[in-house]
Amino acid sequence: MTASTASLEQLRRCHFAVDLGAARTRVYVKGAGLVVDQPSAAAVNTRTGALIAVGEFAEKMTGRTPAYIRVVRPVSGGTVVDIEMAQRMLRHLLGDKVRRALRRKPRLRAAACTPHDADPLAQRAAIETLVGLGARRVELVDTLIAAAVGCGLPVEQPEATMIMVCGAHATQVAVLSLGSIVTAERIPVGGEAVDHAIVQLLRHQHELVLPSQSVRPLQLALSGNGLTPQGPTTTEIHGRDVATGLARSVRVDTATVRNAIQTPLTAVLDGIGKVLRDCPPDLVADLADRGIMMVGGSALLPGFDQMLRQATGMPVHIAERPDVCAVQGLGTMLEGRVEPLALNPASSD
């Protein structure tokens, strides 16, 4: 779906918008702004089927629960894989007050983001999830367009903008012009692939198992200028010995971590190359000046933007709040703040 005038009209009628990501769920309510920004996780008691916790609290339980409590993630790769669980999670995240306010609307309308090449089943799942929350009509918006609007790119103008949405499971790259997608690619490599690369490296080289919560701190330890050659050469990491199961810490060479991360990110570079090859030459000329706008939670991966700069030779910008761009974009459309391109009628003189 492109952001054409008709769909902008329909989005204006929506009361709330949801960005269901593999890592986080965000909800924007018209007039109230961003009301939910929590991890997409729910903890369930497998004996009774009862929901124990959702969001941040459920995420903290990962890897720390007794056998009968399971932490489930109802969204994978931008697609709702467990509709019932996603509905229960959203109900709890929204809370009674917001749900009551939404229920009062005579014909509740919702909007949701879907990944660029979402198949009909994935679209159906997104719609059903929100219908289960009481929505009578659901508008779907391509994540790429929502994110572009959210970070203030001139989406509706006849000039090319390149956007890269870096998610947990996938990275989507597109060239937009006149409110629609000219070319796009979805690369099945995201922040989680990078985490996985770090975990594997530590396991093979240092026989160290990291607790599930501490991969992020590792990236943070490398942040600042950590992933650039000017950063610290070594960093200390605490984990558990593979053989003995006892806690120990090792000093890790940051250059090897950089190399490990480089591998999954090369796939992203290939994707960017493909999008540029498929793009009309006039638009590529625009892009050389404007560069690439990075949004999505994994855009903050230390050194990622520099790597793209070196590889493409284009300017690379990270959006101001990259993690919430898509839902803010939906919000901007809901509040009717996007002006569709109006054609001035040719003067008849």
Side-chain angles (χ1 to χ4, degrees):
M1 184 185 99
T2 59
S4 63
T5 343
S7 64
L8 279 173
E9 271 311 305
Q10 282 157 347
L11 283 167
R12 244 172 231 175
R13 296 202 195 108
C14 291
H15 303 105
F16 72 110
V18 179
D19 175 13
L20 270 173
R24 294 183 81 87
T25 293
R26 301 184 172 91
V27 183
Y28 186 104
V29 173
K30 194 176 199 164
L34 192 61
V35 293
V36 173
D37 182 357
Q38 292 269 359
S40 307
V44 187
N45 181 331
T46 50
R47 292 176 188 163
T48 61
L51 206 57
I52 295 168
V54 292
E56 229 138 64
F57 197 47
E59 174 117 302
K60 284 203 178 87
M61 292 181 174
T62 310
R64 297 166 182 261
T65 60
Y68 66 92
I69 296 177
R70 210 170 93 239
V71 176
V72 289
R73 296 188 162 275
V75 187
S76 168
T79 305
V80 178
V81 284
D82 183 339
I83 294 175
E84 189 209 352
M85 203 65 230
Q87 288 172 352
R88 289 173 72 185
M89 180 182 81
L90 272 169
R91 268 188 217 117
H92 279 263
L93 288 174
L94 279 169
D96 294 340
K97 196 166 143 215
V98 178
R99 282 206 346 262
R100 270 202 299 274
L102 288 174
R103 253 195 244 119
R104 285 196 203 102
K105 310 275 187 229
R107 273 188 69 79
L108 187 61
R109 288 165 178 257
C113 291
T114 50
H116 172 59
D117 55 358
D119 55 29
L121 273 177
Q123 295 181 343
R124 189 79 240 144
I127 292 171
E128 278 190 28
T129 303
L130 297 186
V131 166
L133 285 178
R136 304 288 290 277
R137 194 188 159 117
V138 181
E139 303 291 340
L140 296 181
V141 181
D142 195 309
T143 307
L144 289 160
I145 290 188
V149 169
C151 62
L153 290 177
V155 182
E156 298 287 330
Q157 298 306 314
E159 48 191 273
T161 49
M162 189 168 193
I163 187 155
M164 185 169 149
V165 179
C166 316
H169 277 275
T171 303
Q172 301 171 69
V173 187
V175 173
L176 308 174
S177 181
L178 284 173
S180 26
I181 290 167
V182 183
T183 58
E185 272 296 306
R186 185 166 182 266
I187 306 122
V189 169
E192 287 187 2
V194 172
D195 293 352
H196 187 67
I198 295 176
V199 170
Q200 291 299 88
L201 169 84
L202 292 171
R203 201 181 177 113
H204 293 311
Q205 286 204 348
H206 301 279
E207 298 195 341
L208 198 71
V209 183
L210 279 185
S212 57
Q213 317 279 347
S214 71
V215 184
R216 289 272 169 238
L218 173 56
Q219 288 177 10
L220 295 176
L222 298 175
S223 65
N225 51 4
L227 277 187
T228 57
Q230 298 82 40
T233 49
T234 60
T235 180
E236 193 166 345
I237 293 165
H238 305 283
R240 198 177 74 193
D241 191 288
V242 171
T244 63
L246 299 173
R248 70 184 174 94
S249 58
V250 290
R251 285 208 80 76
V252 177
D253 186 31
T254 48
T256 52
V257 176
R258 269 204 302 281
N259 293 342
I261 289 178
Q262 225 76 15
T263 317
L265 295 186
T266 343
V268 176
L269 294 178
D270 293 347
I272 293 177
K274 188 168 184 323
V275 168
L276 290 171
R277 280 196 301 279
D278 296 348
C279 191
D282 296 13
L283 293 181
V284 176
D286 285 356
L287 294 175
D289 314 330
R290 306 203 72 131
I292 306 173
M293 177 66 86
M294 293 172 72
V295 302
S298 305
L300 295 168
L301 200 65
F304 193 8
D305 53 333
Q306 256 165 318
M307 184 182 139
L308 288 178
R309 255 181 229 116
Q310 282 166 351
T312 59
M314 288 160 68
V316 176
H317 319 281
I318 299 180
E320 200 172 309
R321 288 208 48 206
D323 48 340
V324 293
C325 279
V327 75
Q328 291 290 14
L330 285 177
T332 307
M333 294 176 190
L334 253 62
E335 309 279 10
R337 289 199 293 263
V338 181
E339 285 308 311
L341 185 72
L343 296 176
N344 297 328
S347 53
S348 50
D349 50 26

